[in-house]
Structures are given as C-alpha cells and as structure tokens.
Amino acid sequence: MKQLAILITSILLPLSGYCEKQTDEKHKSLIIKEQGAFSAGGTVITSEGTFDPLKPWYESQGGQTRHGDHADVLYQIPANSKINSMVFLHGYGQSRRCWQTTADGREGFADIFLRKGYSIYLVDQPGRGDAGQTTHPIQVSVAPDDQTWFTQFRFGLYPVFYEGVQFPKEQQSLDLFLRMMTPNTGNVNEATIVDAMSAVFDRSGNGILFTHSAGGAPGWKTAIRNSHVKAIVAIEPGGFCFPEGEVPEGNRGGKGIPMDEFLKLTKIPIIVYFGDYIPTKETPAYSQNFLRNVLAIARKWAEVVNAHGGDVTIVHLPEIGIKGNTHFLMSDLNNKEIAEQVSNWLKEKHLNK
Amino acid sequence: MKQLAILITSILLPLSGYCEKQTDEKHKSLIIKEQGAFSAGGTVITSEGTFDPLKPWYESQGGQTRHGDHADVLYQIPANSKINSMVFLHGYGQSRRCWQTTADGREGFADIFLRKGYSIYLVDQPGRGDAGQTTHPIQVSVAPDDQTWFTQFRFGLYPVFYEGVQFPKEQQSLDLFLRMMTPNTGNVNEATIVDAMSAVFDRSGNGILFTHSAGGAPGWKTAIRNSHVKAIVAIEPGGFCFPEGEVPEGNRGGKGIPMDEFLKLTKIPIIVYFGDYIPTKETPAYSQNFLRNVLAIARKWAEVVNAHGGDVTIVHLPEIGIKGNTHFLMSDLNNKEIAEQVSNWLKEKHLNK
C-alpha cells in the first residue's frame, strides 16, 4: 500500500508541478523526450611503427591512430517536437555556451526555442570546447585580451559601456561572459568544420541552422553541402559566399565559389541580423567601422543572392526600433524579443512546424 | 475557439505523452524544472600598458585582463528534485561527455540519476572542454595514442578485446568513444581544479561528488575543502590522500596532507569502485599491473581512513559477481547495473533524499 502511494505520488507530483507552472513561463518545466551527446564527422591519422599492447606507454608509441576534427553535439528533443530541428553553431573564441545561457544566467536561444517545441542540436565545432581533439597541433596562448573582445563585441568602448546597451552591466555578468571564451585546440580549417556540420545535419535531419559571427562562413557552405539545411538564421556573420569573380573587397568569406554552388543558397530562406552601434559614417572606433563594413557587404550579398532568385532578408535591428544590441544579440538582455522576431520570420516562411 | 483548442492541445498532448511513457522507462520523458550553464571559480591575470578602445587590435594589446582557470558547468534540476544533488568530475583526457552518454549512445550516469530525481551538475574542469580558457599556456600535441588508451582503459590488449568485456565492440562505438578524448588547453594544477570544484559545490549545495580516474585526487581535496560534499563515489580514482608521513610507495596522490585535513575524509561516506581485468599477480601487461597497484593502494587507504573512524568501502566488482567492466564502468554496457549498486549504497547511507 505504501509502495502504491509512492508510485501514485511519483506520477502525479510531476504532473501537478507541470500544470501549476503553465501560468508562469519563467518557471515552466521542460518536458524532454530524449537528450544526449554525440560526435559528428572527423578524421583519423595513423603513426608508423608497431603497437605493443603489453607496453602501451614507454616503448611502442608507434603504430597508433588518433581520432579528431569532429564536432561535439548536445541535443534535446522536447515532447511533441516540431518537424524542423534547430542546429546552433558558435563564432570565434566561443563554444555552444553562447546559445545555452547568458552573461547574467537567463535562458539562451537554445532553451527559448526548446520551449517552443524545436529539437535543439548544440555544436562545439572541431577544435573547440568538448570537441577538443584534432589532428593539427597548436600553441594555446594566454595573452590577456578581454578588453579587445569587450570592444570588438560592441559592449562599449572599454571601460565605458555604450548608452542603452543590452548587456548586463554588473561586474559579475561581465566576469561570467568573459569565462565563456574558449580557445582553439587545433589548427582546423573551414572545410573540416563544414564536413562536421554536414554530418550533424545528417543526424538532426531537416532543420534551421543558426550561425553566429565566424560561424557564418562555414554555415553558408554547410547549407550548400547538405539539403537538410532548410533555412539559415545568421547573427552578425563574419563573411559571405559570393560567386567567383563577384567578391567585394573586404569580405572575410574567402574567395568566391562556383555559381552552381552559390545558387543553392537561393533555394532556402535566409535572415541576417545586425545589432546596434554600427555608424553610418566612418568613426575613430575600429570596432564600429569593422561592423559598418560587414553590414555594407551583407547588403550587397543579399542583393546578389536575391537577384538570382534567392530569399535573403537583412535586419539591422535599430531600423525596426530594437536598440542597444551587441554582437551577441542571442544573449543580450532583450534576447526573448529577438527570438520572437526569429519566430515570426520562421512562421512567415512556414518553417515553424 | 481555434486558439483555445490549440492551447488545450498544447497542454494536454505533452501530459498524455508523459503518462503513456511511464510504462516504458527507456523512452520516458524527463521533466526538467530548470537547466543552464555557468562558470565557477577561476582567476584573472593582467598585462602591463594602456588599452586604447579605439584601436583594440593593432596598437594597444596592453592594459588588458584575461579570465581563466574556471570550471564550466551544465546543470539540470528535475521536477521534485531530491535534497542532495550530484556533481560529476571527469578524468584525464576526458570531459563531462563521459557521464552524459556512452560509446554506443545509451544514457550515461547523468541521465540515469536525473531520472531518479537528483539534480545533476556536469563539470568540465579548468583547462578542459568548454572550460578552455586558462592563464597557463600549453602546446597541444596530436601524437596518435588511441591504442595506448584502449589498452590503459582495459578494453583489452589492443587490438584484442578482453573476453566478456562490457564495452560495445562495433567499430562505430570505439570510434565515438575515442572522439570523447579531449586535450588539456592549459597547464592547470590540482589546486586550481580544487578551487573551481569547491566553487561548483557553493552553487550546487549539498551533494554527492562523483569522480573518475584522475578526477579522484582533486576530488578528495574538494571534499576536504567544502562541507557541501556529503559523500564521494570514486570510480577507479588515480590517487589517494594519505596523512603526511604515511604515503605508500606508488600512490599518485602526491605528498601527504596534514592530519587535520585528512580527518575530514573520515566524516563522510566514500565508496570506490574497480572494474575487471585486474590480476592478483604480476603479469606482462603494464596496464593490468598498473591497476593492480592502484587497487592495492586503495585498500591500504581504506584501512587508514577507517582506522581513524571513517566509512570507506572498496568494491572490486568481480568479487560481487559483476564482470567485464573497464576503466569506464559508468558508461560500460552494464552501467545501469552499476548505477543500481550506487543507488543501493546511497540508500544505505540515507543520502537518497
């Protein structure tokens, strides 16, 4: 009888807790059908010699392999998940952490969209974070550079925050943000990242690719490679894929790509978001001019893709009345508002299913 | 009316899904009250000079800070969580991945215990995985060493698996296991790891510390440091904390610690698990002899702690009829059976609350 009571309680308590919390979104429980971790993509190298299993350390280091250059993926599938999943790729110096939380511990884009019913695939790209093992050695530097990133990411002109910035100004939040930075653990090239990202989509199935910053460039090529990519949401992407011979000066996306590859980008809807503090004219601040150039190239790129029948939208947030956003608009103080913008766009493109 | 129908469906469908799945544990949904990520502990270094925010890259690299040496933590709190949480610390060459999943994609210890109602805190220690940023530079090597680890971890004597080994023998599983390896991203010392782990417990509150392999040594010191550690479950820990002057030859836990610190280890229950393929006599295989020595020292250590009033249990699994376990018994094919062993011990110690 006691066991039965415990059994009933163990079933009903979670349910009552769930129902109570329906009215309080902030504390509503997540119902996860499945979660886990896996590796995707990657390479193997082999050393010469013969391996002696009796002496694995001292006398026979040869004849061995090393697995590396894979992506590391955490995924969560909610109850009654939508058909389209979401795959998240971070930028330079970052890991999936930038999508999982915020500097002040609020929910990041991953949980916001998980609550909306999307399956979430959070990537550490090859040579970053938990995908640390590569086949290309590197010297990890520890040169102090927090202030460079504070400035480059447009929190302000260090030590002064921009007026109205959507970044939490408490010292603790900046401390926690800076601890999200994590170095390259190998000299991995873009093709390796694209290989791994394509393998992630083989596993996730059809979905929406979110990219941030330096993740933008391999993101376009992932969509070209893998038809499971049904849309791209690019947050201040660092470079664009132009057709060969049409690459504008200052684009960080490398040389152009063949037209038949480029045309694949015209087959899916793409939206590109830019935050605030991007001046219209040249200013003394390098970080602002840098983004001014990126935004100008983004607009050119949208014109080219759309001229070929594509569907690219560039959103400069201040122009639609959303102000104060930094380079990390997915974790800024108004990230729920930004997520709503994305949701509305997905609905418009019939991808919210 | 349509909106109301959608609202009702959106509430009821997850609930019905949850109830249906009560009978099928493998596919039972997880109900998560809260999940997120945070950093714990860490240091800051500062460079000389003056930072010029107008030229963040080229002419003023000085006058900057670097945050590093923190732990990176993912946590999940289930509905109706128990009072005691669980904190998981990986071993050498590993990240929290070793607790999150298995080589063949089954649930790891984290999900198994989350289902039992424990809040889960999964650590990447300073200089590993997503906690990549440190203040101590390192050269990351890519020397092939898969076969060394296969052998050291007692999957077999490469390329031959041990007879009856609880490791999945498909090539794909070994491939995925080897991709869980991830390098040090800085030269971080044990004290830094202990600092960070103690900060994790400040956040998690009272709980059970799980350690694996090289995580064992900083684990003992975390328990000595932080009274929130209410028990330790150590899986083949790599070194032990003896009192000064009583350290046996071959212990990898470094020099002894003051008696007043050591005595803190007598105040909490501790259980230490060892897997299979540990011979009773010297053999030609280095990896087997290595563990034979560790097990012998573990038994000595238990005697010393218990002689001072402690509560240490050493479990050599084959002696209780559980055979075939490797160094990774938390992700071996029988990891649910091992988890049940742990659960029974926690119940016995009144920690399953």
Side-chain angles (χ1 to χ4, degrees):
Chain A
M1 191 65 194
K2 192 180 163 193
Q3 280 186 325
L4 183 63
I6 291 170
L7 178 67
I8 291 171
T9 308
S10 73
I11 293 173
L12 292 185
L13 269 183
L15 294 182
S16 65
Y18 177 77
C19 295
E20 273 167 27
K21 282 159 189 161
Q22 285 292 323
T23 50
D24 179 0
E25 184 169 356
K26 194 175 155 195
H27 293 106
K28 193 168 67 176
S29 289
L30 288 157
I31 303 191
I32 307 297
K33 193 165 62 184
E34 186 185 332
Q35 65 180 20
F38 61 89
S39 297
T43 58
V44 180
I45 56 173
T46 306
S47 62
E48 291 189 3
T50 307
F51 180 73
D52 179 355
L54 298 181
K55 299 168 183 168
W57 293 100
Y58 300 114
E59 295 173 40
S60 55
Q61 293 286 358
Q64 299 211 59
T65 58
R66 184 182 191 82
H67 287 62
D69 305 332
H70 45 270
D72 184 278
V73 186
L74 288 181
Y75 71 97
Q76 290 187 293
I77 300 173
N80 303 296
S81 55
K82 291 176 187 277
I83 294 166
N84 287 303
S85 56
M86 289 183 167
V87 176
F88 294 86
L89 177 60
H90 56 76
Y92 180 83
Q94 294 282 314
S95 71
R96 58 183 152 230
R97 267 279 238 117
C98 65
W99 306 103
Q100 290 179 298
T101 186
T102 69
D104 53 347
R106 289 170 295 109
E107 290 193 337
F109 262 29
D111 282 354
I112 290 172
F113 284 102
L114 189 61
R115 288 189 185 283
K116 292 178 188 289
Y118 294 95
S119 299
I120 298 297
Y121 292 77
L122 289 157
V123 176
D124 277 356
Q125 75 179 27
R128 195 75 59 75
D130 288 332
Q133 191 150 295
T134 80
T135 61
H136 302 280
I138 201 168
Q139 170 70 41
V140 179
S141 155
V142 298
D145 57 2
D146 290 342
Q147 284 67 21
T148 294
W149 293 116
F150 178 105
T151 307
Q152 182 66 23
F153 292 157
R154 305 200 320 288
F155 302 162
L157 294 173
Y158 188 88
V160 181
F161 281 101
Y162 287 130
E163 197 182 330
V165 71
Q166 299 275 4
F167 188 89
K169 290 182 186 167
E170 312 79 40
Q171 186 57 38
Q172 189 191 11
S173 293
L174 183 57
D175 180 273
L176 287 174
F177 175 86
L178 292 167
R179 294 185 186 285
M180 292 191 204
M181 301 292 294
T182 195
N184 284 337
T185 61
N187 277 305
V188 172
N189 63 20
E190 185 184 85
T192 301
I193 298 169
V194 174
D195 284 347
M197 287 301 295
S198 181
V200 174
F201 272 93
D202 286 341
R203 173 88 179 244
S204 71
N206 290 351
I208 298 134
L209 172 59
F210 283 71
T211 66
H212 179 230
S213 196
W220 313 127
K221 290 182 180 167
T222 302
I224 290 167
R225 170 83 67 84
N226 195 316
S227 62
H228 286 306
V229 181
K230 296 302 181 191
I232 296 179
V233 177
I235 296 175
E236 297 201 350
F240 297 88
C241 278
F242 284 87
E244 279 168 349
E246 297 183 39
V247 185
E249 205 179 325
N251 183 48
R252 288 190 300 153
K255 61 190 173 107
I257 59 174
M259 182 57 83
D260 62 327
E261 292 186 16
F262 173 80
L263 288 176
K264 292 187 180 173
L265 292 175
T266 68
K267 307 301 180 195
I268 56 171
I270 295 171
I271 194 160
V272 185
Y273 290 97
F274 286 89
D276 207 340
Y277 315 111
I278 304 174
T280 49
K281 290 181 185 168
E282 180 104 1
T283 76
Y286 171 86
S287 55
Q288 293 188 319
N289 289 326
F290 179 86
L291 254 288
R292 192 169 70 94
N293 181 52
V294 176
L295 176 55
I297 290 173
R299 294 197 198 278
K300 274 186 205 166
W301 181 74
E303 278 175 25
V304 176
V305 181
N306 292 344
H308 283 90
D311 178 10
V312 175
T313 306
I314 306 290
V315 180
H316 184 203
L317 289 169
E319 292 174 24
I320 60 168
I322 298 177
K323 297 191 176 171
N325 280 105
T326 75
H327 188 51
F328 282 73
L329 51 91
M330 69 283 206
S331 60
D332 279 340
L333 290 168
N334 62 343
N335 67 340
K336 280 196 171 176
E337 185 179 8
I338 309 296
E340 274 312 298
Q341 291 288 324
V342 175
S343 284
N344 292 339
W345 179 79
L346 290 173
K347 189 176 174 190
E348 192 184 306
K349 301 300 174 188
H350 309 289
L351 288 161
N352 61 335
K353 298 190 170 72
Chain B
M1 191 63 194
K2 191 178 163 193
Q3 279 186 324
L4 183 64
I6 290 170
L7 178 66
I8 290 172
T9 307
S10 73
I11 293 173
L12 291 185
L13 269 182
L15 295 182
S16 65
Y18 177 76
C19 295
E20 274 167 26
K21 283 159 188 161
Q22 285 292 321
T23 50
D24 179 359
E25 185 171 354
K26 193 174 156 196
H27 293 106
K28 193 168 67 177
S29 290
L30 288 157
I31 303 192
I32 307 297
K33 193 165 64 185
E34 187 186 330
Q35 65 180 21
F38 61 90
S39 297
T43 59
V44 180
I45 56 172
T46 307
S47 61
E48 291 189 4
T50 307
F51 179 73
D52 179 355
L54 299 181
K55 299 168 183 168
W57 292 100
Y58 300 114
E59 295 173 40
S60 56
Q61 293 285 0
Q64 298 211 59
T65 58
R66 183 180 191 81
H67 286 62
D69 305 332
H70 45 271
D72 184 277
V73 187
L74 288 181
Y75 71 96
Q76 290 187 294
I77 300 173
N80 304 297
S81 55
K82 291 176 188 277
I83 294 166
N84 287 303
S85 56
M86 290 183 167
V87 176
F88 294 86
L89 177 61
H90 56 76
Y92 181 82
Q94 294 282 314
S95 71
R96 57 183 153 231
R97 267 280 238 118
C98 64
W99 306 104
Q100 290 179 297
T101 186
T102 69
D104 52 347
R106 288 170 296 110
E107 290 193 337
F109 261 28
D111 282 355
I112 290 172
F113 284 102
L114 189 61
R115 288 189 185 284
K116 292 178 188 289
Y118 293 95
S119 299
I120 298 298
Y121 292 76
L122 288 157
V123 176
D124 276 356
Q125 75 178 26
R128 194 75 58 76
D130 288 333
Q133 191 150 295
T134 81
T135 62
H136 302 279
I138 202 168
Q139 170 70 42
V140 179
S141 155
V142 298
D145 57 3
D146 290 342
Q147 284 66 20
T148 293
W149 293 115
F150 179 104
T151 307
Q152 181 66 23
F153 293 158
R154 304 198 323 287
F155 302 162
L157 294 174
Y158 188 87
V160 181
F161 281 101
Y162 286 130
E163 197 182 330
V165 71
Q166 298 276 5
F167 188 89
K169 291 181 186 168
E170 311 80 39
Q171 184 57 39
Q172 190 192 10
S173 293
L174 183 57
D175 180 274
L176 287 174
F177 175 86
L178 292 167
R179 294 185 186 286
M180 291 191 203
M181 301 292 294
T182 195
N184 285 337
T185 62
N187 277 306
V188 173
N189 63 21
E190 186 184 85
T192 301
I193 298 168
V194 174
D195 284 347
M197 287 301 294
S198 181
V200 175
F201 271 94
D202 286 341
R203 174 89 179 244
S204 71
N206 291 351
I208 299 134
L209 172 59
F210 282 71
T211 65
H212 179 230
S213 195
W220 313 126
K221 290 181 180 167
T222 302
I224 290 167
R225 170 83 68 84
N226 196 315
S227 62
H228 285 307
V229 181
K230 297 301 181 192
I232 296 179
V233 178
I235 296 175
E236 298 201 350
F240 297 89
C241 278
F242 284 88
E244 279 169 349
E246 296 184 39
V247 186
E249 205 178 326
N251 182 48
R252 288 190 299 153
K255 61 189 172 106
I257 58 173
M259 183 58 82
D260 62 327
E261 293 185 18
F262 173 80
L263 288 175
K264 293 187 179 173
L265 292 175
T266 67
K267 306 301 180 195
I268 57 171
I270 295 171
I271 194 160
V272 185
Y273 290 97
F274 285 89
D276 207 342
Y277 315 110
I278 304 174
T280 49
K281 291 183 185 170
E282 180 104 1
T283 76
Y286 172 86
S287 55
Q288 292 187 321
N289 289 327
F290 178 87
L291 254 288
R292 192 170 69 95
N293 181 53
V294 175
L295 176 54
I297 290 174
R299 293 197 199 279
K300 274 186 207 168
W301 181 73
E303 278 175 26
V304 176
V305 181
N306 292 345
H308 283 89
D311 178 11
V312 175
T313 306
I314 307 289
V315 180
H316 184 204
L317 289 169
E319 292 174 24
I320 60 168
I322 299 176
K323 298 192 175 170
N325 280 104
T326 75
H327 187 51
F328 283 73
L329 51 91
M330 69 285 206
S331 60
D332 279 340
L333 290 169
N334 61 343
N335 68 340
K336 281 196 171 176
E337 184 180 7
I338 309 295
E340 274 312 299
Q341 290 288 325
V342 175
S343 283
N344 292 340
W345 179 79
L346 290 173
K347 189 177 174 189
E348 192 185 306
K349 301 300 173 188
H350 309 289
L351 288 161
N352 61 334
K353 298 188 171 74

